Amino acid sequence: MKNKLLVFMMLLMVSPILSCDEDKGDETENNLMNLIFLLGNKTLTVNVTYTGTYVPALTNPGSQYIYVYLYNTRPTYTRSPVRVYSARSAGPVTDGTQQAITLTGIWSGHYYLMVFYDYKSGDNADNKGDFYTLYDSTNDGTNCIASATTVSIPSVSSIDITFADTYDFPSGAGTGAGATFDPTGCP
């Protein structure tokens, strides 16, 4: 958030330089709004295939949507730090078909990526018992926070991820920050 504010303040300082010049006739106008639009107009398509159990939870079944979250910093809980971008599948997932989930309006930068299947319901989609994976560039998935790697936007515009029931969210133990990422198996 601090980086975005700094960029915005710098843009405000140079905006008089980038404003239109009436003497140039019908040349394309480079103004502040065009520059802001270009900086924050990146997309990332995550092609997700969930190959786990499609039977709804016996009690409190979730929506069965697949969600994609991007974080500025490495997350400890699903809602701490707060995700900066999110998107979900167009509908419930009932088979192993690849789902193209596109996040839009992304500012250039490096982001941690989490994908999860809303298996069990709760106050929020990211709930204890839901199946997830954190992006790891060497194997496309981990539950180990230390092994999670960032995605560089706009260098990367598409990622393929396949995950199953290998990792599920443990309880956040009443922290209000959401479910935790389980560090089991960390090197």
Side-chain angles (χ1 to χ4, degrees):
M1 183 68 174
K2 290 180 184 178
N3 290 340
K4 291 180 186 176
L5 183 58
L6 179 62
V7 170
F8 181 72
M9 295 303 292
M10 290 174 59
L11 290 173
L12 285 177
M13 290 174 27
V14 299
S15 65
I17 298 168
L18 300 174
S19 64
C20 62
D21 184 352
E22 294 178 20
D23 296 333
K24 293 197 177 190
D26 47 341
E27 286 183 25
T28 304
E29 180 180 300
N30 289 325
N31 61 32
L32 179 61
M33 293 309 293
N34 285 341
L35 187 56
I36 289 173
F37 178 76
L38 290 174
L39 288 175
N41 195 32
K42 309 299 186 263
T43 62
L44 173 66
T45 300
V46 183
N47 300 305
V48 182
T49 306
Y50 175 69
T51 59
T53 305
Y54 294 98
V55 177
L58 297 176
T59 58
N60 301 321
S63 68
Q64 297 182 315
Y65 284 84
I66 294 176
Y67 289 80
V68 177
Y69 289 175
L70 292 182
Y71 298 90
N72 278 334
T73 58
R74 189 173 290 160
T76 303
Y77 296 94
T78 55
R79 292 185 290 282
S80 178
V82 176
R83 65 186 182 264
V84 290
Y85 301 101
S86 65
R88 69 176 192 188
S89 57
V93 174
T94 58
D95 60 22
T97 303
Q98 187 179 72
Q99 307 287 316
I101 302 171
T102 301
L103 297 102
T104 60
I106 303 171
W107 282 70
S108 297
H110 302 282
Y111 299 95
Y112 290 93
L113 184 145
M114 181 205 31
V115 176
F116 73 95
Y117 178 68
D118 185 19
Y119 179 69
K120 292 188 177 179
S121 69
D123 293 339
N124 294 285
D126 48 6
N127 194 49
K128 176 184 176 183
D130 289 338
F131 305 114
Y132 77 99
T133 192
L134 291 165
Y135 178 73
D136 174 0
S137 62
T138 61
N139 64 9
D140 284 340
T142 185
N143 68 328
C144 181
I145 297 166
S147 297
T149 55
T150 58
V151 175
S152 180
I153 305 297
S155 298
V156 175
S157 61
S158 179
I159 293 176
D160 294 338
I161 293 180
T162 299
F163 74 110
D165 300 343
T166 307
Y167 312 125
D168 65 340
F169 293 129
S171 170
T175 63
T180 60
F181 293 101
D182 187 352
T184 304
C186 291

